[in-house]
Amino acid sequence: MDIKEAIGQKLLLAFHGKDKPSPEIIHALREYKIGGVSLFRSMNIEDPAQLRALNDSLQRLARDFGLPPLLIATDQEGGQLMAIGQGTQLPGNMALGATGSIELARRAGEVLGRELAAVGVNVNYAPCADVNLNPQNPVVGVRSFGEDPNEVAQLSAAMIEGIQSQGVAATVKHFPGHGDVAGDSHYKLPVVPHSLERLRAVEFSPFRASFEAGAKLVMTAHIGLPAIDGPDAPPATLSSKILKSILREELGFNGIIVTDAMNMHAIRQGEALGEESVRAVAAGADLLLQIPEPQDDEHVYKALVDAAEHGRLDTAEIIASAQRVLALKEWLSQHPLLPDLSVIGCAEHQKIADEIAEASITLVRDDERLLSLHLNSDQRIAVVIPQPQDLTPADTSSYIKPQLAEALRKYHPRVEEFVVPFAPGESDVSGLLQQLRAFDVIVVGTINAFDQKNQAALVRETLKLNIPTIIVALRLPYDLMAFPEAKTYLCTYSILEPSMRALAKAVFGQSEIKGHLPVAIPGVAEAGYSLR
């Protein structure tokens, strides 16, 4: 291939369109000869049949233009980030961490891979192998398996094996480790201040295991590491010391390096995006993940061609990089038959989701011995749930209506649901409290209340009613820090239906509570703790 064709293979573009490929992506296929596309729930995905038809159209266009098959990628992590909303509702990585089961992680990967293959997606931006050590981390959280590097390593490797067993390439992310930051790289450049020795022992460990498990791709993080790049450290995506010296040479990774989205504001935007893309390629990136901005696509492509033609990029490295992309496509071509769409959400997959959910439910505290509930037929349960919202761009929670009340009604008919704003105001709280006085038991779900003072205030005021109350952390377990006076406290790590069903079973004593904390709750409980 010539240098322009090689550069085209390094581009993963995106577009707006569900019914058919947009004119802009057709132009990019014809003119830039791109390597692939990334698909996003809001822009491209309605349902499995629509998605498979769209992907068939994209691959047909590539053939018509004489191009190699496209990489078609999406974020199907399970839990918090589900690009294909009608896929099996797997509870997610931290729920898997709470199970401690390598076998369940592998089976979850198989479900993810099989369902992606059925809709024509051949690259999954998963799993997230970040070690979540910072409660204030806004972007990773329950996307991580937990805070123990060894457990995260084993579960990441198992999920990769599961995904790739279905002919879909797994992407371990976000190298060199996004778990111990307090900033979101979608908006600014977070910095990981640790020494190289600490990075090798903690952050790098899950990636090393993932590479040994055969991960086809690794995604870079837009985070700075002063221990490697000095006090003015650039994003790792732009660092040759991180991508070449550590990732390639020290850790021996020989697969595809894909950047995290280049529109994130840890990366310079606008006119500077072309130069930032040149820096990423010079640092060692094989694929540049772009968003649907045709003007940016043109800037990036022209900047890369210009840099190659004027010697600012090594043409031999560009050709070698494109050859790695083609080698991945060759591996994918060995799995040409797509499963039938009937595998999506099938009974076998639902059973796996339910097994994960039931094994993940964690009881941290039950000082008043409320569990399991035994109520008279005339007693009433109030369920209080905050309206989910996306807490980071890497989130699809806003699409979900938690079905906890419905799940509890299976075991007791007199259940009433109260949905409150994610950040309830004083009037929301006072009005709710008046209604709650009429109930015999209260179940309050929280979503990161440790970082949402209004939710925490609602819980504290509810506890003052002196009505038997069960508090359930529906996302991160850290919420108990905000209301340590709570007497009964469980964790589900997920708002999806299998987790709500599993919680209801646990509350009424219909299943054994087996989960353990994958992260410590500072000042309350150590990681690995569960009440028995």
Side-chain angles (χ1 to χ4, degrees), residues 12 17 26 63 84 189 234 238 279 283 414:
L12 278 177
I26 294 172
R63 290 194 298 271
I84 303 173
L189 178 66
L238 310 181
R279 292 177 66 192
R414 304 198 69 188

Side-chain angles (χ1 to χ4, degrees), residues 3 17 51 62 82-83 100 139 170 179 218 236-237 299 303 342 346 357 408 412 422 427 438 459 520 532:
I3 193 63
L51 181 55
M82 297 278 285
V139 70
V218 62
T237 299
H299 285 159
S342 62
C346 66
L408 290 169
H412 188 77
F422 181 78
S427 61
V459 172
R532 291 286 187 263

Side-chain angles (χ1 to χ4, degrees), residues 10-15 37-38 40 43 125 259-263 269 273 277 287-293 296-297 300-301 304:
K10 294 174 69 65
L11 300 179
L12 278 177
L13 304 188
F15 64 97
V37 297
S38 299
F40 298 93
M43 296 186 289
Y125 294 142
T259 71
D260 206 342
M262 293 295 288
N263 69 303
Q269 300 299 299
L273 183 58
S277 299
L287 291 170
L288 302 175
L289 199 167
Q290 306 287 352
I291 62 156
E293 290 291 344
D296 285 346
D297 297 343
V300 168
Y301 178 73
L304 294 174

Side-chain angles (χ1 to χ4, degrees), residues 186 207 220 324 364 394 402 420 465 531:
H186 289 92
F207 292 96
T220 65
R324 282 192 290 273
V364 178
V420 298
L465 296 175
L531 183 63

Side-chain angles (χ1 to χ4, degrees), residues 129-141 144 146-147 174 176-184 190-195 198-199 202-203 221 223-225 478:
D130 302 307
V131 182
N132 200 78
L133 285 161
N134 191 330
Q136 298 300 321
N137 189 328
V139 70
V140 176
S144 166
E147 69 174 37
H174 307 80
H178 211 310
D180 199 2
V181 300
D184 188 337
V191 172
V192 178
H194 303 302
S195 68
R198 145 64 196 254
L199 292 168
V202 177
E203 278 77 11
I223 55 174
L225 276 72
Y478 307 121

Side-chain angles (χ1 to χ4, degrees), residues 422-463:
F422 181 78
E426 289 184 12
S427 61
D428 299 310
V429 174
S430 61
L432 176 64
L433 292 174
Q434 290 300 320
Q435 298 181 79
L436 293 181
R437 296 178 193 279
F439 289 84
D440 300 285
V441 176
I442 303 170
V443 179
V444 183
T446 60
I447 299 176
N448 287 18
F450 73 97
D451 198 39
Q452 209 327 297
K453 62 181 182 180
N454 296 45
Q455 275 191 51
L458 183 153
V459 172
R460 288 194 293 269
E461 292 303 312
T462 300
L463 292 172

Side-chain angles (χ1 to χ4, degrees), residues 117-383:
V119 296
V121 171
N122 53 28
V123 175
N124 192 6
Y125 294 142
C128 177
D130 302 307
V131 182
N132 200 78
L133 285 161
N134 191 330
Q136 298 300 321
N137 189 328
V139 70
V140 176
V142 291
R143 300 167 68 197
S144 166
F145 292 104
E147 69 174 37
D148 183 285
N150 293 324
E151 289 190 9
V152 174
Q154 292 180 69
L155 295 170
S156 297
M159 180 169 280
I160 287 163
E161 291 171 356
I163 292 170
Q164 294 188 167
S165 72
Q166 304 303 308
V168 172
T171 308
V172 59
K173 62 189 184 184
H174 307 80
F175 188 81
H178 211 310
D180 199 2
V181 300
D184 188 337
S185 51
H186 289 92
Y187 306 112
K188 62 181 180 180
L189 178 66
V191 172
V192 178
H194 303 302
S195 68
L196 184 55
E197 290 72 21
R198 145 64 196 254
L199 292 168
R200 285 175 172 141
V202 177
E203 278 77 11
F204 296 175
S205 175
F207 292 96
R208 188 180 294 108
S210 297
F211 302 154
E212 291 172 357
K216 297 295 181 182
L217 300 95
V218 62
M219 180 178 286
T220 65
H222 303 326
I223 55 174
L225 276 72
I228 296 172
D229 284 309
D232 297 318
T237 299
L238 310 181
S239 167
S240 62
K241 290 182 180 178
I242 292 173
L243 302 192
K244 291 182 178 178
S245 298
I246 292 178
L247 185 51
R248 292 291 191 202
E249 296 174 15
E250 180 178 329
L251 298 180
F253 180 67
N254 58 12
I256 300 294
I257 301 174
V258 57
T259 71
D260 206 342
M262 293 295 288
N263 69 303
M264 293 163 64
H265 287 273
I267 300 291
R268 293 183 300 154
Q269 300 299 299
E271 292 291 334
L273 183 58
E275 184 56 35
E276 295 286 78
S277 299
V278 170
R279 292 177 66 192
V281 169
D286 295 305
L287 291 170
L288 302 175
L289 199 167
Q290 306 287 352
I291 62 156
E293 290 291 344
Q295 187 175 7
D296 285 346
D297 297 343
E298 183 179 9
H299 285 159
V300 168
Y301 178 73
K302 289 185 174 179
L304 294 174
V305 170
D306 181 76
E309 290 178 343
H310 290 85
R312 291 188 296 121
L313 286 175
D314 186 319
T315 56
E317 286 189 1
I318 292 175
I319 296 293
S321 175
Q323 293 291 349
R324 282 192 290 273
V325 174
L326 293 177
L328 173 61
K329 294 182 176 185
E330 174 61 26
W331 180 82
L332 293 170
S333 73
Q334 297 169 19
H335 306 83
L337 297 179
L338 304 186
D340 188 83
L341 287 176
S342 62
V343 304
I344 297 175
C346 66
E348 177 189 351
H349 291 185
Q350 296 287 1
K351 182 181 178 183
I352 293 169
D354 287 336
E355 285 186 41
I356 295 168
E358 290 187 21
S360 70
I361 302 298
T362 305
L363 181 59
V364 178
R365 179 182 291 175
D366 188 20
D367 293 348
E368 294 183 342
R369 302 300 183 201
L370 281 183
L371 304 180
S372 57
L373 278 183
H374 297 283
L375 302 179
N376 297 326
S377 59
D378 61 342
Q379 289 183 294
R380 302 170 67 203
I381 302 175
V383 174

